[in-house]
Structures are given as C-alpha cells and as structure tokens.
Amino acid sequence: MADVASFRALRYSEQPEPLGDLLCPPYDVIGPEDRDRLYGQSPHNFVRVEFPKPNGDPYAGAAADLADWRLRGVMKRDAAAAIYVHDHEFSVGKARVRRRGIHCALRLHRPEEGIVMPHELTFPKAKEDRLALLRATRTNTSAIFGVFEDTRGEIAGGISRHIEGTRPTAEATVGDQQHRIWAVGDRLAIGEFRDGLAKRRVYIADGHHRYETALAYLDERGAGASPDAPIGYVLAYLCATDDPGLRIFATHRVVRGNGALDRAIDRHFERAPIDAGAIGDIQPGIVVVRDGRYEQLTLKADADVASVRPAWRELPVAQAEELLLRDVREAGAEIAYEHDTKAALAATETGATAVLLRAVDPETLRRVADAGERLPQKTTYFYPKVPAGLVVRPLD
C-alpha cells in the first residue's frame, strides 16, 4: 500500500532568533496582515519562501531567498537521511493536547490507485500558485497532512520506543504551541515505519492542493526519472487516526449579500430556533446565525437531494454546500470560510450571516475517500496546522 522513505531535511541552523520566530503557518491560512507581521518578525522567516509577497516575480524571489539562506548557512541540509518525529503540543479550551506525527517522503500515487486517498475537492487557482512555487524552488516547502489507521498502536508504539529517553533534535515555541522534533536515522526504526505503512492506506487530511501539485510536477518533469527519484515523492506529515491529539474542526461559512439564502432555506430545510448556549452540547448539523437569532436547519422530508452525492448525502456540510450555498453563490453573494466559531459569529455583528457546521469525524472522512468520492472544498480543518519551515524537503 503506502510507500514512505527517509530523506535529508533542510532545517534552520542555530540563529540569533528563536526557532519559533522563523516558522510560519502553511500558505492557505496566512492573510495579508499575517504575512506583513511575519515579514517584520525576521528577515529569515520562512513566509518569504512559503508565501512570498506578490512583488515582481514572487516565486523567483522565494527561490532566491532560499538559495541565499542555504549559501549563508541560515538553513542547512542534514548529513544523513532520517524520518522526523514531531510532537506538537497545543491548547483546546482549557486542556493541553499533544499530537504526534512523522515527517517523511511519501511516494506519489494517483487517486485511482487507491493508496493515497483524497477526500476533498480543490481550487484550480491554488494549484497554479503552488506549482509555480515548486517549479521555482524545487522544494517541498510545507508538508501535506496525512492520516493512517493504527488501531492497535503498532506504528505509534514502535516510534515511541526509538525516541524514548532521547533529547529532541530541535524545539520551537510559537505562541502557546510547542514543537519538538527528533531526527530518527536508525535503519531499523525507518524500516519498521516503512513496513507498517506498507499495509495501510494514507488519507490526505490537509494539503490536497500541494499533493495534486506534486503529481502535476511529476507529470511535467518526471520523464526518464528512476522509480525512487525524489520527484516521485512528496513531503508528508503522517499521523494516526487514533492519535489522542488529532483534532478536526468544522469550517463555517460567512455569507454577505444573502438575498438568495432565505429562498434556499425555505425550499429545502425546516427552521427551528435554537439557544446559542446549546450549540456546544448538542452539536447540530447546520445553524444559521443572523441579527442575533440562531436557527437550526434540518432537511425537509420531501427535499430533493438528487444533486447531493450518495456517499455524503447525510453530511451537514454537503447539504449546506449543495442545497443551501450553491444558489447563493450563483446569485452573486460573497462567501468566506472561517474555522473559528467566535470569528464567524463576530461577522454577524456587521451584517453577515454565519452558517455554522458540525465537524466531520475521521471515520466519515475515511468512508468517503474509500468510496472514491470527494467532499466540498473547505470541509475539514485539522487543528492546528503543521508549520512551514520546521522540516523542509529539497528535490535536489
């Protein structure tokens, strides 16, 4: 099934700034103000490579910065190939949580091969951007996030045995989040991990655009390459679906210019008032919030659901996209995506309508992917994102 390999990572060397000041989120959650802040945080912040400002040719600029950092030793290639165990500690409410993943090179497979399984549709413009960056830098600047089943804990247990009692290779603090990295170069440990994954599928949790970009780049530049050439793999952060730190949040929709919204609701859904304080307890599928009013939507018994694919017909996010928001988009409304419930609700104070959705669980994600289906864009939000710049994979 899945095929993984070790690689020689490109990582930051010792710098005057703390390592956490040099990392950035992946490109798809960096807004203009975030980018300005990260640019000002350090001249070596990885945002300059991961998501450069659109001045001149941003991709050539990213490649030039990365080449300069390597030349000056700001970032150095590890001497030996390894897999990189990554403990990511963060807060959810009042609880501290730790998620463990492994950075590795994941062999590229097309979806129809049934080995690396996507679950979400993608946007063409984002893939064009990532492909231009990959062409210029010849580097996997940030990892795709993949999950695999490890019900009996065989892979997790094996990894733990190899790092137990050892000091991390690198540590970083970003806000209230802690990162610890262990470079595991032991051939036995790498072999155990590879053999364990060889019995399993990998499901893409986050990074569908990056994965499809890597496939496109392989098509474009891979002719004549050996089966084990670096271009045939992509940087991946792999986490067990059973990991106690795995968190999936919903991605809510914020609608402005919503004249068509009420018509779509009345055509397909029943409305019922709901108390704001009850949302966290009962986890309703779809809640529309407007002008301080909260309404739970449930599908009408006679609703025409022919446009909703059978594999995800019962999912609130699919019902919302296909039966509620499709007409709204066609009517010209502006729809934004927001994983932070508080931020989505705050938007309603300035005239927007928030469509709050229940999160998709890992088992549903697996079921949809196994059926060969894909969920609407921006269905899942695996929290927190894996930072860019901690472990980088050049293709040279």
Side-chain angles (χ1 to χ4, degrees), residues 80-222:
I83 57 175
Y84 297 82
V85 181
H86 178 186
D87 278 3
H88 191 165
E89 187 178 310
F90 54 98
S91 296
V92 177
K94 296 180 180 179
R96 289 296 284 178
V97 180
R98 188 209 71 184
R99 185 183 68 204
R100 174 167 289 175
I102 299 94
H103 293 266
C104 60
L106 174 67
R107 186 183 293 277
L108 293 164
H109 289 280
R110 303 195 179 281
E112 57 269 22
E113 295 179 66
I115 297 172
V116 179
M117 306 294 290
H119 79 272
E120 200 169 87
L121 296 168
T122 53
F123 297 104
K125 187 175 181 180
K127 287 187 286 187
E128 293 169 7
D129 167 69
R130 292 298 94 184
L131 183 56
L133 183 67
L134 183 55
R135 286 172 179 153
T137 62
R138 285 188 50 79
T139 299
N140 295 149
T141 58
S142 54
I144 72 156
F145 188 152
V147 295
F148 60 90
E149 293 185 302
D150 189 28
T151 308
R152 296 169 60 185
E154 297 170 347
I155 294 177
I159 289 295
S160 293
R161 286 193 297 273
H162 286 286
I163 66 169
E164 190 173 336
T166 65
R167 291 179 59 84
T169 306
E171 298 182 77
T173 300
V174 181
D176 70 342
Q177 298 182 18
Q178 302 286 329
H179 301 273
R180 298 177 184 85
I181 291 284
W182 288 264
V184 178
D186 179 78
R187 290 185 179 182
L188 177 60
I190 295 169
E192 287 177 355
F193 180 60
R194 182 174 184 176
D195 291 347
L197 263 294
K199 305 172 187 175
R200 294 164 167 85
R201 283 175 164 172
V202 167
Y203 298 89
I204 301 175
D206 190 28
H208 288 78
H209 295 94
R210 277 160 279 183
Y211 190 82
E212 292 184 15
T213 294
L215 283 172
Y217 191 69
L218 176 61
D219 288 341
E220 186 178 284
R221 307 285 177 92

Side-chain angles (χ1 to χ4, degrees), residues 13 55 130 141 170 208 263 265 295 329:
S13 58
N55 302 327
R130 292 298 94 184
T141 58
H208 288 78
R263 294 192 295 273
I265 292 173
E295 292 183 319
R329 281 195 181 86

Side-chain angles (χ1 to χ4, degrees), residues 216-257:
Y217 191 69
L218 176 61
D219 288 341
E220 186 178 284
R221 307 285 177 92
S226 71
D228 292 326
I231 197 173
Y233 293 77
V234 68
L235 176 63
Y237 166 95
L238 302 183
C239 176
T241 56
D242 310 277
D243 188 278
L246 187 66
R247 292 290 186 277
I248 308 177
F249 293 168
T251 302
H252 308 301
R253 275 59 171 163
V254 177
V255 183
R256 295 186 184 276

Side-chain angles (χ1 to χ4, degrees), residues 258 262 288-294 345 347-354:
N258 54 5
D262 283 311
V288 172
V289 184
R290 180 194 303 155
D291 299 328
R293 300 193 313 273
Y294 289 68
L345 292 175
T348 68
E349 298 174 5
T350 57
T353 297

Side-chain angles (χ1 to χ4, degrees), residues 10-53:
L10 182 66
R11 297 187 296 110
Y12 280 102
S13 58
E14 289 292 329
Q15 298 296 315
E17 309 105 316
L19 177 57
D21 288 354
L22 306 177
L23 307 180
C24 70
Y27 75 100
D28 57 339
V29 291
I30 301 175
E33 292 181 0
D34 298 321
R35 181 160 52 186
D36 288 344
R37 175 181 57 79
L38 292 164
Y39 261 73
Q41 193 162 283
S42 168
H44 301 135
N45 187 281
F46 201 72
V47 72
R48 297 168 186 269
V49 176
E50 171 70 4
F51 194 43
K53 288 185 177 181

